[in-house]
Amino acid sequence: MNVEIDLNDIVSPREFEKQHPNLFEGEGKPSLEYLVRTRHLNGLSDLGAVIEPLHRRPMIVRPKFLEWLLGRKRAA
């Protein structure tokens, strides 16, 4: 999946969670904080869905995160 990425596609985890609360609320759903913390293990970092562009603060690349999320759903 080759996607054009714009600066507007890069958001903080806090902003991403506010925009998509249904993905991270409720029993049994992983927290975004946990997913970002384990990005080197779960593939988010390898895919470029979570990057560290400034001062080592993780940022989410929305199209890449969606690609990761859809890929996990297909694999499950």
Side-chain angles (χ1 to χ4, degrees):
M1 180 181 219
N2 197 1
V3 177
E4 289 284 325
I5 297 175
D6 184 84
L7 279 176
N8 293 322
D9 293 326
I10 301 172
V11 297
S12 70
R14 180 175 289 159
E15 184 178 345
F16 188 79
E17 194 166 15
K18 283 181 186 177
Q19 293 170 350
H20 307 286
N22 57 322
L23 292 176
F24 308 105
E25 289 181 354
E27 190 174 326
K29 291 186 180 179
S31 73
L32 183 58
E33 178 185 345
Y34 175 78
L35 292 174
V36 169
R37 195 170 357 111
T38 59
R39 63 190 172 276
H40 298 293
L41 300 173
N42 61 26
L44 283 169
S45 186
D46 292 339
L47 185 61
V50 176
I51 60 173
E52 298 174 26
L54 302 169
H55 309 292
R56 299 190 50 89
R57 294 192 181 187
M59 300 291 282
I60 293 179
V61 179
R62 284 188 257 192
K64 294 290 189 173
F65 191 92
L66 178 61
E67 182 180 341
W68 177 83
L69 185 64
L70 293 175
R72 290 187 52 84
K73 293 296 182 185
R74 280 190 221 118

